[in-house]
Amino acid sequence: MALSGFIIIMTETLPAGLLPQLAADFQVSDGTVGQLITVYALGTVVAAIPTIAMTRGASRKPLLVIGLLGFLVANTLTAMAPTLVIALVVRFIAGAFSGLIWGMLAGYARRIAAPEHAGRALAIAMAGTPVALSIGTPLGAWLGSMVGWRWSFAGVSVLTVVVVLLVLACVPNAPGQRSDTRLSLGRVVLIPGVAVVLGVVFAWMLAHNLLYSYIAPYLDGAGVGLRPDVALFAFGVAALVGIWITGTLIDRSLRRLALASTAAFIIAGALLLAFPASLPVTIVAIALWGVAFGGAATQLQKAIGDAAGESVDVANAMLTTAFNLAIFGGGAFGALLVDGSGPAALPLAMIALSAVALVTVILGRKQAFPSRRTVAM
């Protein structure tokens, strides 16, 4: 499952590390080619809830394999795309398969783990995210700079074949949701705590994606002499630390983790805003940002899963939708900032949105982010 998440995240974020090469090849601006991230997110937004709603009763393992095969096809076609328009269409399709996998992966992990270890199981299943950020995306960015961006996407396709074989051989199956426990989409949203978590997801992840999607032009504008691939590597290594901390504490300290992580985003943005030309401060800010982000997905999925109970798959599809609306917003709004006000405006937007997320976590003390919660199954 962690390797499946690795494929998804690497596919999603790879254009962020390849923006200069993509822009040069397709002869467009950084903001325009950044829409490769935006349309991917849009595909996830469109597909996540409908696909999970239609497949709630299906066995989980076949769905995971189907989703991974979709990524195999999409990344192969991206590597061969002759124009930006075709690449955008294929990225939209890849995003749709992302919606399917992310909508069911967290619930799948919870079903094959003991209830008291649900948070730790999520942390392990989500470990592919920081590994992709620390190793996958920087390696893809490096490969793109050496032999061309198309080989980066081709490499992801080869890795996807390996992961499909491993899933078939190693991952146990799990049943879908029983028909007598399925709530309508509207009733799932109204479950206490679910809407609050979704609000935190959107604000927090929008803060993240504004800067992450346009890290290359931001670093270039700051003039600190830090290459995007190196910055992404440092971010990803820090994210590994974040997922380890989250996996250790999440089953007993979810609220404190969420408060600390959203606050760390504010501090990281403030450091970048106050010391934009300092290389040491930039590295510290990126490390703090990475640690805070590393456990974010696990924390949010644990929170919404605890609140939703048996409706965890649909709730996670909604979380995936909110998450990818934030990615969509990061690509679109970030393009306006980068092409308009300039990349130096990104840390300020990061601070403001992270503050909204922090306040929402504070106010969600009853159902969304309580200090203690009995795991719902």
Side-chain angles (χ1 to χ4, degrees):
M1 289 184 182
L3 286 170
S4 299
F6 179 94
I7 294 295
I8 299 171
I9 292 299
M10 189 170 178
T11 300
E12 175 185 311
T13 60
L14 196 52
L18 297 170
L19 278 185
Q21 296 95 317
L22 287 161
D25 194 10
F26 290 127
Q27 298 181 348
V28 295
S29 69
D30 287 345
T32 299
V33 83
Q35 301 318 299
L36 287 169
I37 300 171
T38 304
V39 297
Y40 179 98
L42 182 60
T44 305
V45 169
V46 171
I49 295 176
T51 55
I52 292 301
M54 290 187 296
T55 59
R56 276 190 280 183
S59 295
R60 303 291 92 180
K61 185 171 179 175
L63 283 181
L64 180 56
V65 172
I66 290 170
L68 288 170
L69 290 176
F71 273 94
L72 171 62
V73 173
N75 280 313
T76 301
L77 292 178
T78 301
M80 298 186 296
T83 66
L84 179 60
V85 172
I86 293 176
L88 288 169
V89 172
V90 174
R91 291 281 295 176
F92 178 87
I93 295 171
F97 283 104
S98 171
L100 171 64
I101 296 181
W102 277 136
M104 51 83 72
L105 197 62
Y108 192 176
R110 293 171 72 101
R111 287 190 179 100
I112 62 173
E116 64 271 19
H117 298 307
R120 188 169 297 178
L122 277 176
I124 294 171
M126 295 301 108
T129 297
V131 173
L133 295 172
S134 62
I135 299 175
T137 303
L139 181 61
W142 174 82
L143 181 64
S145 66
M146 294 293 102
V147 297
W149 65 267
R150 296 179 188 275
W151 287 103
S152 297
F153 285 96
V156 179
S157 293
V158 173
L159 183 59
T160 303
V161 174
V162 176
V163 175
V164 168
L165 294 175
L166 288 172
V167 168
L168 291 172
C170 302
V171 178
N173 196 11
Q177 186 181 358
R178 301 191 313 272
S179 59
D180 59 338
T181 63
R182 297 176 199 168
L183 300 178
S184 67
L185 299 181
R187 290 181 64 187
V188 173
V189 173
L190 294 177
I191 294 174
V194 169
V196 174
V197 177
L198 293 176
V200 174
V201 172
F202 182 75
W204 191 4
M205 293 304 104
L206 181 56
H208 164 74
N209 283 288
L210 280 173
L211 186 57
Y212 192 89
S213 298
Y214 295 98
I215 189 67
Y218 172 77
L219 292 173
D220 183 59
V224 293
L226 185 63
R227 298 203 321 263
D229 57 340
V230 175
L232 291 174
F233 177 77
F235 175 88
V237 170
L240 287 173
V241 176
I243 196 69
W244 177 80
I245 293 172
T246 294
T248 302
L249 301 175
I250 190 169
D251 284 314
R252 61 180 184 274
S253 301
L254 173 60
R255 179 173 177 79
R256 292 180 181 177
L257 282 170
L259 289 170
S261 298
T262 49
F265 259 56
I266 297 173
I267 296 170
L271 288 173
L272 293 175
L273 187 65
F275 305 97
S278 171
L279 178 59
V281 173
T282 298
I283 293 174
V284 169
I286 289 174
L288 183 60
W289 173 29
V291 170
F293 178 78
T298 303
Q299 294 164 29
L300 293 167
Q301 288 176 326
K302 177 68 162 59
I304 206 164
D306 285 352
E310 286 284 354
S311 298
V312 59
D313 286 338
V314 173
N316 266 295
M318 293 176 179
L319 183 147
T320 300
T321 300
F323 203 110
N324 283 275
L325 280 172
I327 297 174
F328 177 87
F333 182 40
L336 293 177
L337 288 177
V338 169
D339 292 342
S341 302
L346 295 174
L348 182 60
M350 179 181 182
I351 293 169
L353 290 163
S354 300
V356 172
L358 175 61
V359 170
T360 307
V361 172
I362 292 172
L363 296 177
R365 63 174 58 89
K366 291 185 178 180
Q367 289 91 13
F369 296 93
S371 56
R372 290 172 180 260
R373 177 182 287 279
T374 300
V375 177
M377 292 298 291

